[in-house]
């Protein structure tokens, strides 16, 4: 079950739940879905770059996440498999602390989790890459309009 509401609405919702039932609760700040136009355009550019470089779209996506994406630095016990958390990461190093071995990773956040500002930065990077490769892109004004439209959803 999913519920969206402000603090007061959430309190009212919780009081209506059965008191003897055990529930798992996860609370996140509400974000409206980003415009699909921006996501579609990003993948269009990734496909164009992949075609020119003769690489897979997945490889180009990861390269672009590394260069222009959002990231999180995380340390894990050495026996924890990072690909169980995300498939977009790079090993940064290994260290020992309190007789335990740890590995540090840079995890790259997938664009599906970006807000409009983060997506705008990512698209700007893709556009620059395309221009460097001679790939045609939308005009700056069109991109700004797409970003403006995307911001309406936040």
């Amino acid at each position: 079950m999913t519920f969206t509401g402000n603090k007061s609405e959430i309190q009212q919702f919780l009081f209506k739940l059965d008191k003897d039932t055990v529930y798992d609760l996860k609370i996140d700040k509400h974000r409206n879905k980003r415009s699909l136009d921006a996501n579609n355009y990003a993948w269009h550019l990734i496909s164009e770059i992949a075609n020119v470089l003769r690489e897979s779209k997945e490889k180009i996506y990861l390269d672009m996440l590394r260069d222009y994406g959002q990231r999180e630095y995380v340390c894990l016990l050495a026996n924890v498999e990072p690909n169980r958390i995300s498939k977009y990461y790079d090993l940064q190093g290994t260290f020992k602390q309190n007789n335990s071995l740890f590995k540090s990773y840079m995890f790259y956040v997938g664009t599906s989790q970006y807000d409009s500002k983060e997506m705008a930065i990512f698209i700007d990077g893709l556009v620059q890459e395309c221009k460097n490769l001679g790939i045609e892109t939308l005009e700056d004004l069109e991109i700004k309009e797409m970003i403006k439209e995307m911001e309406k959803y936040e």
Side-chain angles (χ1 to χ4, degrees):
M1 137 181 23
T2 302
F3 180 81
T4 301
N6 62 32
K7 183 178 176 180
S8 176
E9 293 167 333
I10 291 171
Q11 287 173 332
Q12 290 172 11
F13 172 77
L14 291 173
F15 282 118
K16 292 178 186 175
L17 295 176
D18 180 56
K19 68 176 184 166
D20 296 323
T21 302
V22 176
Y23 297 94
D24 290 326
L25 178 67
K26 179 182 177 186
I27 297 180
D28 290 316
K29 184 176 179 183
H30 179 70
R31 289 181 3 183
N32 290 320
K33 296 290 182 189
R34 196 180 60 243
S35 164
L36 287 180
D37 288 346
N39 195 57
N40 290 341
Y41 186 57
W43 278 102
H44 168 74
L45 296 178
I46 290 166
S47 295
E48 292 295 318
I49 294 168
N51 290 339
V52 168
L53 297 179
R54 305 249 188 260
E55 296 283 356
S56 71
K57 288 187 271 187
E58 186 70 14
K59 180 188 181 311
I60 298 302
Y61 178 64
L62 180 55
D63 289 346
M64 297 300 105
L65 286 178
R66 284 183 179 121
D67 292 344
Y68 306 107
Q70 303 300 306
R71 62 191 78 210
E72 299 288 337
Y73 185 76
V74 178
C75 296
L76 301 172
L77 285 168
N79 64 343
V80 174
E81 289 295 326
N83 60 358
R84 294 188 70 186
I85 298 168
S86 173
K87 61 183 177 177
Y88 306 119
Y89 66 89
D90 289 320
L91 177 65
Q92 300 293 300
T94 304
F95 64 95
K96 199 170 193 175
Q97 185 174 355
N98 297 334
N99 294 324
S100 294
L101 188 61
F102 291 86
K103 291 185 179 180
S104 58
Y105 297 92
M106 187 64 67
F107 281 92
Y108 302 98
V109 179
T111 57
S112 63
Q113 297 180 46
Y114 287 7
D115 62 23
S116 61
K117 182 179 179 185
E118 294 165 337
M119 193 65 174
I121 292 167
F122 188 71
I123 289 174
D124 284 345
L126 290 173
V127 167
Q128 190 58 50
E129 293 289 332
C130 286
K131 287 180 179 180
N132 292 343
L133 293 168
I135 298 169
E136 207 171 302
T137 64
L138 294 175
E139 296 296 323
D140 289 345
L141 183 60
E142 293 174 288
I143 294 171
K144 285 180 183 172
E145 285 298 317
M146 183 174 48
I147 300 302
K148 188 176 176 181
E149 179 67 23
M150 187 174 45
E151 289 170 345
K152 290 180 184 177
Y153 293 91
E154 300 216 308

